[in-house]
Amino acid sequence: MAGLEVPTWDPETALLIGAILIEAVILYVGYGGLERLVGPKLMNILVGGQDDAGQ
């Protein structure tokens, strides 16, 4: 039957997919942490009002 074969995985392909997934998780966690550290200060600077203007 056509289309019902089980695909074979090349070990290099599986390693590449795993590396991409790990990289995505690291970037997601890293940018989330960066947003928590820098986000509130940046928002105060951008929309904080006239008190922060010129500083």
Side-chain angles (χ1 to χ4, degrees), residues 25-50:
V25 169
I26 290 171
L27 287 172
Y28 180 78
V29 170
Y31 282 127
L34 187 63
E35 181 185 5
R36 286 184 182 217
L37 290 175
V38 179
K41 292 178 185 177
L42 184 61
M43 289 305 291
N44 282 336
I45 291 170
L46 293 175
V47 296
Q50 295 298 322

Side-chain angles (χ1 to χ4, degrees), residues 3-40:
L4 296 179
E5 313 80 39
V6 176
T8 58
W9 281 84
D10 181 22
E12 291 177 5
T13 303
L15 184 63
L16 178 63
I17 292 171
I20 291 170
L21 287 174
I22 290 171
E23 181 182 4
V25 169
I26 290 171
L27 287 172
Y28 180 78
V29 170
Y31 282 127
L34 187 63
E35 181 185 5
R36 286 184 182 217
L37 290 175
V38 179

